[in-house]
Every structure is written in C-alpha cells, then in structure tokens.
Amino acid sequence: MSETSADLPDTAPEKKDFIRQIIRDDLAQGRHTAIRTRFPPEPNGYLHIGHAKSICLNFGIAQEFGGICNLRFDDTNPVKEDPEYVAAIQEDIRWLGFEWNELRHASDYFEVYYLAAEKLIADGKAFVCDLSAEQVREYRGTLTEPGRDSPWRNRSVEENLDLFRRMQAGEFPDGARTLRAKIDMHSGNINMRDPALYRIKHVPHQNTGNAWCIYPMYDIAHALGDAIEGITHSLCTLEFEDHRPLYDWCVDNVDFTHHPQLLQPLLDKGLPLEAGCPHQYEFSRLNINYTVMSKRKLIALVSEELVDGWNDPRMPTLQGLRRRGYTPSAMRLFSERVGISKQNSLIDFSVLEGALRDDLDTVAQRRMAVIEPLKLVLTNLADTHEEMLVFSNHPKDPACGERQIPFSRELWIEREDFAEIPPKGWKRLIPGGEVRLRGAGIIRCDEVVKNENGEIVELHGTLDPQSRPGMEGANRKVKGTIHWVSAKHAIAAEIRLYDRLFSVANPDDESSGKTYRDYLNPESKRSVRGYVEPSATQAAPETSFQFERLGYFVADRYDHDPAAPVFNRSVTLRDTWSK
Ligand code: ATP
Ligand code: MG
C-alpha cells in the first residue's frame, strides 16, 4: 500500500540542525542523559525577534529532548538594568508559548562567584590589577602584537586576597582596581590576555541592593552560571566564539565538581545543587532587513519618540510584533523556517510576513471592512430594504461557522474599486459597468454623482435581482468581485495601516554619513476612518481577522473597544515590497 499523507504521523519533521545533531550524538554516546539549556537575557531592554530565535531554540530543544530550560537574567551590570524589563521579558516568553523550569538570576550566584574568585586567587590564577582602563588597553596589544604583562601581575596570593576583600569592602573607588585572570598576555586570542573578572561599581543592584560594590564580568558570570545550573548545552550567538576558550577556562579552573564547597551559598539559599560541566555552542544571530535590532538603536527610537513606545506595532520587539498582530505560532513558524546554522545571513523581511500570512490564513476568520469608503446607492431597492445574508467565517474551515451580514440600499464600497477612466486590465467597477458584490449579487453603476469641485461623492447603481444568491442567474459571469458593508449597519472604526518602519533594506548603513533615523519610512503609519461589518467590532482585543481583499488585521490590544473599534493592519494579503 502506498503511503499517503493521511498515513503520516501527526508530528512535525525532526529538526536536523547541527546543534540538535550534537545533542542526539551526546545522548547516543551517553555523554549526557538529560538535556539542560537556558535562555540568558540581560534585563536592559525589551526582547526582540532575534531573541525569539534564541528562545525557540533553547526552549524548543528542552521540549523535544525531554529536558529542561531555565530562564536566567544576566543581571551583572546594575547600571543598565530595570525591573520593567524583567517583567516584560517573562511576559514575552510565556506569550511565545514557553515556560521555564527555574527562574534564576546571575545575582543569585554572587556569593558563589565571589568564592570562585577567591579560589582562583588562592590558586595563583587571578590577581588584583591597579592599571586604569586606559592603561589596560595599552597593555593589551592588538590582533597583530602581543600584549605586555601588567606590573601588578606578580603580587603574592596574600596581597591579592587582601586587596580583593578590600575591593568588596568598598575601600576603593570605581575603576581603581580590577580582578584579572592570569592567563597569557601573548595569546593570539585577545580575550585570553588576562581578562577582567571583577570590577568595582558603587551602584545598588535591583536584587541585591547595597550588598555588593564589585560585580563579576560577563564571561565569568555566564560560564559559572551555566556550570552552577548544570546546563549541558550553552547556546549563544557567533560573536561569542572567541570567548569560548575563556568560558572553558572559567569552568575548568573553578571546577565545581571537585570543589563543591564553593556551592555552599546555594544550599544556604535553599537552591538545589546541580552543577555540571557545560559546553558552549555558537549559532548565527538573526538579522532581518528593513529593521534594526541592536538594543541601543531600539532604545533610541523610543526615547527620541521616533516610534510610539516599545510596543509600537512597527517595532521588531516582541511587544511590538504582538501588538501588530503577530501570533506566537507565526513567530515559532518563522523561527523554524529561518533555521539554525553557523552561517551569518540576512533574512528578508518577507519571510517574517510570509510566516504570519500562512499562520493567519488557517486561523483568522474572514470579515468585510471598507477602509476608504465611497457610497453606493442601489436605486432599485426600497429605502427600507434590509436583509441578513449568511456568510461562512472561513472558506477552508467549516468549523469556524457562519455569520449574518446586513445588506441594505446604501452601501460603502472601496473608493479604489471604482475608476471613471479605467486603466488597462481593470476588472472592477466603471461607469455603466458591472461588478459582483461579494455574496449579494451583481450591480451596475448607472450614475456618478459629483460635487461642485468635480469630486465623486457617490455612485448610483442597480442590483440585478436574478443574480442574487440562490437565483438562476447567480452564477452569471462578471469580471470582478468587490467587498462592501451596509452603510446603515456598518460601524465606524479607526484603522491603522502599518508598514515597514524603514524604507531601505539596510537601515544600519552609515556609510554616507546617515543614520537609521534618516531611513524611517514616512508611510509606515497611517490612520484612516473606515467601516467594518457589525460582527467584527465585538471581537476581543488581539483577535485577528482577514478583512477580505485588504489584509490581516488585529483588534488593537490596548485601544480597541466594541463601541470604538481600532484595528491594526498586521500584513497585507500579498507581498507588495518585492519587485
Ligand atoms: P544587544 O547586544 O542588542 O544588547 P544581546 O544579544 O546582548 O543584545 P541579551 O539579552 O544578552 O541581548 O541576549 C539574550 C540571548 O539572546 C543571548 O543568548 C543572545 O545570544 C540571544 N540573542 C540576542 N540577539 C539575538 C539575535 N539577533 N539572534 C539570535 N539570538 C540572539
Ligand atoms: Mg548580551
């Protein structure tokens, strides 16, 4: 018997990227029996679509392999961090459809990091350095020249321990001293040239208050955080490839496996002991054209009021995409289509839009709305004519049911669907021409009514009674079908027509002295007053519809009200950007 699609198991095809292959191999070889990943955002901004790729990867792998994924806030830089971001990040991850095993903070481990630093000092592997930041740069060397040893590199263990303790006791001002790893100033990898492990910062921390005035650097905090949580596969983006030797150096030289006493502070906090020996793997970051993704630029767009906040529907933040009408399943579909590799690439914005269209096509109910209204009066219907027509909510999914749409003598049609002087190939309404009103019958345009300025104010037409649904002429052929709403019954709505925020493919291009600010698309937000059929307005905020022939729209998460409806255009029905 030949295999048909109906015989295939109802599961997504197994993903084959290099990271999942490594994991399969690790499990097959018995190197690991349980998979642990983590997503480690720094709470210094809102999550964007690039983070979604990392979330789908880390949480997705945990799901697929029956493992766990932690959420760990990398909160080692108290200057830039804010509880507002902490709350938003959690909301965004849950919105994407994932739940973490444990919620941790790098700051939960500050005591462990401190003990680990003292151990490195005691082992002669770290020293307190008095060079200023500028001197450290001078001593560091370049890609082609080796660095020079700090004059403080050979302090005794006792002196280093004493100075480190006094750093923590608050005796020295910011920047006066650092704790540095003692590795190799001649290393070809600049990250290995005695990198800083701790710096002095007299700044209170959102979680630990004034308990600390020294804070660990990213590399040691990240590596040891992974080790403490028993992360098996630490997945990060390619720019950390050159940091991997330092990551391994931290894990190997602190070595929790043979020095479990360093983990005592965890027990004191009631945290479980689950330390292991993690490995870092790098994949390419997500880049998309027509947008910017650096947090610095996103923050500037908001603070300079170039957009209406973090959740502006044109922002690539998850909050913005959500408000635009992106669904969690569209985001996951997009991330699946983009895939995981080590090749840096630029993804076309249309791939993101395509994922949304494909997702919404299957789930969004259809409605009729008119965004640039022109009145059409059907003169052969009585003033009082009113009837309800039955429409299916989804052409491919009968389970979505049906609804009734009122039809009457005066309708709104789309101004764009009428042309007095039609261009070549025009299929819609012209003076004296015929067109089908979706689900209602065929009309002819008899008269174009203009005001004293010569502007069209309304059309008069007649409905062919034989062409109505169920009548013998119902299938009579006409070239075009247009949508409409009943003027008497339709509800006025604010319709926000969003488009790409930037009008050029690479807004990061600063070569001609411009910045991304110069590339903003002036057409990216337009608000119009349109009309929607009554049943659309009852929708709860965040409900998506296909407004027939216009695109996918979502009831605005914050501003939509059945009494004052607000719809955002999520995406047009077709890609209008590609040439
Ligand atoms: P920025 O450099 O703009 O501040 P970041 O990468 O430092 O962003 P984090 O909060 O540290 O932001 O990132 C958390 C996780 O998300 C990291 O593991 C990081 O590698 C991943 N990530 C961030 N941006 C992208 C991206 N564009 N594509 C894939 N993963 C990303
Ligand atoms: Mg970061």
Side-chain angles (χ1 to χ4, degrees):
M1 198 176 88
S2 73
E3 195 179 53
T4 67
S5 61
D7 299 325
L8 291 171
D10 185 25
T11 51
E14 202 177 54
K15 299 188 186 88
K16 294 260 162 56
D17 56 78
F18 77 98
I19 292 177
R20 286 173 169 91
Q21 298 290 25
I22 289 170
I23 292 176
R24 280 188 197 105
D25 198 45
D26 284 347
L27 289 168
Q29 304 295 318
R31 279 188 290 272
H32 294 290
T33 51
I35 301 304
R36 282 173 170 249
T37 57
R38 85 289 169 269
F39 175 65
E42 188 177 350
N44 62 353
Y46 282 80
L47 296 182
H48 53 59
I49 176 112
H51 294 115
K53 173 174 174 174
S54 177
I55 292 170
C56 289
L57 178 67
N58 280 293
F59 285 92
I61 282 177
Q63 279 178 352
E64 288 154 44
F65 293 94
I68 59 170
C69 180
N70 285 349
L71 169 59
R72 184 195 323 139
F73 285 108
D74 167 24
D75 55 351
T76 51
N77 185 1
V79 184
K80 290 191 289 175
E81 292 155 11
D82 195 305
E84 176 192 339
Y85 301 134
V86 172
I89 288 170
Q90 295 182 55
E91 183 188 329
D92 286 348
I93 296 172
R94 290 197 164 121
W95 174 71
L96 278 176
F98 298 109
E99 186 63 49
W100 45 90
N101 172 57
E102 294 274 344
L103 172 63
R104 298 287 178 82
H105 305 80
S107 58
D108 297 336
Y109 310 142
F110 278 173
E111 291 85 358
V112 178
Y113 295 154
Y114 183 84
L115 294 181
E118 286 204 341
K119 174 187 184 286
L120 291 173
I121 295 171
D123 293 346
K125 290 172 179 166
F127 66 100
V128 173
C129 181
D130 299 0
L131 293 182
S132 67
E134 196 181 323
Q135 289 169 318
V136 167
R137 263 195 299 281
E138 282 166 26
Y139 276 75
R140 190 184 290 137
T142 64
L143 284 174
T144 50
E145 273 172 57
R148 283 177 292 139
D149 284 358
S150 160
W152 310 102
R153 198 175 199 262
N154 292 315
R155 279 176 159 151
S156 69
V157 166
E158 290 68 36
E159 188 182 1
N160 279 321
L161 270 180
D162 175 60
L163 285 171
F164 186 55
R165 287 172 185 160
R166 288 165 57 196
M167 278 168 65
Q168 159 56 5
E171 284 190 30
F172 313 117
D174 288 5
R177 293 193 153 94
T178 52
L179 181 74
R180 295 175 68 183
K182 198 188 277 191
I183 308 180
D184 179 8
M185 290 306 291
H186 294 259
S187 170
N189 182 341
I190 293 186
N191 294 302
M192 298 299 272
R193 295 182 187 171
D194 293 3
L197 299 177
Y198 260 94
R199 61 185 154 180
I200 302 173
K201 249 188 199 197
H202 291 268
V203 177
H205 186 282
Q206 49 154 336
N207 272 349
T208 57
N210 290 313
W212 300 88
C213 62
I214 58 173
Y215 292 98
M217 301 300 289
Y218 170 81
D219 286 293
I220 184 170
H222 189 233
L224 296 188
D226 286 345
I228 289 169
E229 292 172 25
I231 300 305
T232 53
H233 299 78
S234 174
L235 312 176
C236 63
T237 40
L238 276 176
E239 60 286 11
F240 292 100
E241 198 165 17
D242 290 346
H243 292 242
R244 193 186 335 130
L246 178 54
Y247 180 99
D248 291 338
W249 185 93
C250 292
V251 171
D252 294 344
N253 286 286
V254 171
D255 190 7
F256 290 125
T257 316
H258 297 100
H259 303 274
Q261 75 280 6
L262 301 174
L263 300 167
Q264 183 60 38
L266 300 178
L267 289 178
D268 298 343
K269 291 186 178 193
L271 293 175
L273 291 187
E274 37 197 8
C277 187
H279 284 277
Q280 175 181 304
Y281 301 92
E282 306 87 14
F283 61 95
S284 60
R285 28 182 337 115
L286 174 68
N287 296 302
I288 307 184
N289 61 12
Y290 291 97
T291 191
V292 296
M293 236 169 336
S294 110
K295 275 187 204 157
R296 182 175 56 81
K297 290 179 182 170
L298 296 177
I299 287 173
L301 284 171
V302 173
S303 63
E304 295 171 24
E305 298 183 12
L306 299 169
V307 296
D308 308 324
W310 286 101
N311 59 20
D312 184 303
R314 296 165 294 174
M315 288 283 272
T317 53
L318 297 187
Q319 294 276 329
L321 289 160
R322 175 175 181 177
R323 193 166 181 194
R324 177 72 170 264
Y326 275 79
T327 57
S329 45
M331 303 297 292
R332 293 194 301 264
L333 179 61
F334 170 70
S335 133
E336 208 166 288
R337 286 181 179 173
V338 165
I340 295 295
S341 81
K342 271 180 128 38
Q343 253 62 56
N344 271 316
S345 67
L346 184 64
I347 302 296
D348 200 86
F349 201 91
S350 62
V351 178
L352 179 62
E353 295 176 326
L356 182 61
R357 275 188 206 106
D358 291 349
D359 180 58
L360 290 181
D361 180 44
T362 59
V363 295
Q365 294 198 6
R366 276 45 171 175
R367 293 291 184 272
M368 287 207 287
V370 170
I371 57 177
E372 253 187 280
L374 172 63
K375 186 163 281 181
L376 168 66
V377 181
L378 299 175
T379 51
N380 62 334
L381 295 185
D383 270 353
T384 51
H385 184 95
E386 247 183 81
E387 62 183 303
M388 296 304 267
L389 302 176
V390 176
F391 279 65
S392 76
N393 284 327
H394 197 292
K396 295 169 226 168
D397 187 359
C400 289
E402 296 177 328
R403 69 187 187 287
Q404 297 198 323
I405 304 181
F407 178 73
S408 64
R409 184 173 189 263
E410 297 196 359
L411 308 173
W412 294 116
I413 65 167
E414 212 67 66
R415 199 163 270 273
E416 274 207 332
D417 283 337
F418 175 76
E420 230 182 341
I421 305 160
K424 209 163 162 268
W426 181 261
K427 293 200 171 77
R428 295 166 274 167
L429 200 54
I430 54 169
E434 281 189 322
V435 79
R436 184 182 303 279
L437 293 181
R438 167 102 166 89
I442 295 171
I443 57 113
R444 192 184 59 234
C445 172
D446 304 318
E447 190 189 349
V448 182
V449 182
K450 296 186 179 176
N451 64 15
E452 60 271 26
N453 300 325
E455 295 158 350
I456 301 171
V457 288
E458 62 183 41
L459 305 177
H460 289 177
T462 39
L463 174 67
D464 169 9
Q466 288 311 313
S467 70
R468 310 230 43 212
M471 302 297 285
E472 64 194 64
N475 293 325
R476 180 158 76 80
K477 291 265 178 293
V478 283
K479 274 191 192 143
T481 300
I482 65 172
H483 60 273
W484 53 271
V485 291
S486 161
K488 183 169 163 195
H489 304 91
I491 314 285
E494 179 183 346
I495 302 200
R496 298 174 182 165
L497 300 171
Y498 292 108
D499 203 344
R500 297 181 187 180
L501 182 54
F502 294 98
S503 46
V504 301
N506 180 12
D508 286 315
D509 177 15
E510 300 188 344
S511 59
S512 47
K514 293 189 169 175
T515 74
Y516 59 96
R517 297 173 183 82
D518 301 309
Y519 301 124
L520 288 166
N521 174 9
E523 303 282 304
S524 62
K525 179 185 172 186
R526 204 154 59 88
S527 177
V528 298
R529 197 153 179 79
Y531 292 98
V532 298
E533 60 164 278
S535 73
T537 64
Q538 296 309 315
E542 299 204 270
T543 304
S544 290
F545 291 119
Q546 184 193 100
F547 286 165
E548 293 199 21
R549 299 180 62 233
L550 296 176
Y552 293 98
F553 290 74
V554 67
D556 188 77
R557 187 177 173 200
Y558 300 107
D559 300 338
H560 174 77
D561 185 310
V566 180
F567 288 97
N568 302 331
R569 182 168 70 195
S570 311
V571 67
T572 52
L573 289 180
R574 260 165 252 98
D575 184 1
T576 50
W577 281 77
S578 60
K579 288 143 213 141

